[in-house]
Amino acid sequence: MRIAIIGTGYVGSVTGVCLAEMGNMVVCVDNNKEKIAQFRKGEAPFSEKGLDELIKRNLKNQTLLYTTDFKQAVKKSDMVFIAVGTPSGEDGSADLSYVIAVAQSIGQVIDHQLIIVDKSTVPVGTAELVKKTIFAEQKKRGVNFPFTVVSNPEFLAQGTAVKDFMEPSRVVVGADNPEDIEIMRELYAPFMRREGRFYSMNPQTAEMVKYAANSFLAAKISINNELANICALMGADFDQVRRAMGADPRIGEAFMYAGPGFGGSCFPKDVRALIKMAQERNYEAEMFLQTLKTNEEQKHLLAKIVQRYFQYFNQSLKEKVLAVWGLAFKAGTDDMRESSALTVVQDLIEAGAKIQVYDPEAMKTAQLPEYFGDNPAIKYCNNKYEALEKAETLLIVTEWKEFRTPDFEEMKKRLRHPVVVDGRLLYNPDKMKNRGFVYYSVGRP
């Protein structure tokens, strides 16, 4: 199948390379010449496990191309995926300006029958809006080439996006035309190793699935964080509580962890968008409003624990040197969008502390102007042990594997005081005590 992918962010780049891997002829389009040049070298401009290897292989096999030529890409394709960003608007709604701009461009160049696939996360009703936009542009040209619009939401988690696409938990397709359903079923057949994972429905329902799934998972995280905070107050260990809870098949073991709050490009944005969609229909989504409120409060927790620790000794954080392990919003990515680390570090700096930070992937991202930039209160370190040098306390924000079994003796040598505030419950509290650490973690007394 000849496919054009419009947009080379996480979704577009992974979708394009995985479809090419199965033998489709794929051209990925972006208006950013620097990104396209980097992709042509076989390198993604962001960190994603396994992606560069697939890019290089499919460039070599000539099943994958990268271009800035939108018109030629559409003209030579049977199917066009829209995979551009839908950031949050000021009112919380999804900003569809990039999606509409792509739809307009398609309408301006379409010259044969096409299937248009909405891969971006878009509000209910967007498929119809894309359809009307393309019709309007064709009308201006005095042409009427046939096309259909299909909704095909993505369920890719950063850090495991390639695996998620190659071995999908489900494929959701929303279309009004039964023929489109069968074409999409054929497209995804090579990925469907397990039966019963292909779900077809109308476009509106498909558009809703992604928001429902992400909002549910976000609420589950906030519920766990709320329970963890209560456990800490009651002298209970949430790690043991969540294991016993997860044994109940109605609850399950997945996403049963406490932490410093969720972030990234999906959960916060999608919950806000769902709330806005509900408000536009005169419904107040109270639980999801509380999900966001609980999450924002949770992001301040680690800094509060550190401040309480020093207050116990009648000390402030002024001029204190603190170490932070982890800046990305989750392990496996360099993405810092809405990362809890942004709040943690900012809170500590506002309290007068100086911060030594380390992250295996996000160090370059952290130094961008929209994040920490060249803030003089922050020292960027080359490895996790350098970040500990003469620091009063270590805070762990992101659950990277290299943080799970460090050299604890080396940690004690580097730290001025063996104090660890663990936002990810990486260590056993009794073992940490036996090693000589003062150890605090989320959800434990």
Side-chain angles (χ1 to χ4, degrees), residues 349-421:
I349 290 174
E350 288 179 0
K354 296 183 181 299
I355 313 299
Q356 297 178 168
V357 301
Y358 171 71
D359 186 283
E361 294 288 346
M363 297 302 282
K364 288 184 179 180
T365 305
Q367 296 175 65
L368 294 173
E370 58 265 39
Y371 297 115
F372 298 138
D374 56 359
N375 191 318
I378 296 175
K379 177 183 177 182
Y380 299 100
C381 300
N382 295 314
N383 60 66
K384 58 180 179 287
Y385 297 118
E386 182 185 334
L388 302 179
E389 198 67 47
K390 296 182 180 180
E392 304 276 352
T393 303
L394 165 64
L395 296 90
I396 302 174
V397 183
T398 312
E399 70 283 19
W400 287 99
K401 288 182 179 178
E402 72 170 82
F403 300 156
R404 293 181 182 275
T405 54
D407 184 331
F408 292 104
E409 289 303 314
E410 185 66 21
M411 289 172 65
K412 286 200 292 185
K413 288 178 185 177
R414 302 271 186 142
L415 287 165
R416 287 193 64 188
H417 303 289
V419 181
V420 175
V421 178

Side-chain angles (χ1 to χ4, degrees), residues 294-324:
T294 298
N295 189 60
E296 288 307 307
E297 292 173 352
Q298 192 72 8
K299 290 182 177 183
H300 296 280
L301 180 63
L302 298 188
K304 288 180 178 178
I305 291 173
V306 173
Q307 288 176 307
R308 285 199 296 265
Y309 172 78
F310 283 101
Q311 286 168 0
Y312 180 81
F313 298 102
N314 295 316
Q315 297 179 24
S316 72
L317 293 185
K318 190 173 183 180
E319 299 302 317
K320 290 283 192 302
V321 176
L322 306 175
V324 171

Side-chain angles (χ1 to χ4, degrees), residues 213-232:
N214 277 357
S215 296
F216 182 89
L217 292 173
K220 191 172 184 180
I221 292 171
S222 284
I223 288 170
N224 283 325
N225 284 334
E226 197 89 282
L227 288 171
N229 294 340
I230 296 171
C231 282

Side-chain angles (χ1 to χ4, degrees), residues 63-111:
T63 54
L64 181 64
L65 297 172
Y66 292 94
T67 184
T68 58
D69 193 335
F70 182 94
K71 184 175 182 179
Q72 285 303 309
V74 173
K75 282 178 174 289
K76 293 180 180 179
S77 297
D78 306 308
M79 184 178 292
V80 178
F81 279 71
I82 300 176
V84 293
T86 54
S88 285
E90 291 184 4
D91 61 354
S93 62
D95 181 354
L96 292 177
S97 58
Y98 299 114
V99 172
I100 298 306
V102 172
Q104 289 172 334
S105 297
I106 293 172
Q108 291 161 6
V109 302
I110 185 173
D111 63 358

Side-chain angles (χ1 to χ4, degrees), residues 10 14 46-54 158-163 332-333 401:
Y10 275 97
V14 172
F46 49 81
S47 175
E48 187 59 49
K49 184 178 180 181
L51 185 58
D52 286 359
E53 177 187 344
L54 289 182
Q158 287 174 241
T160 59
V162 171
K163 183 177 186 296
T333 180
K401 288 182 179 178

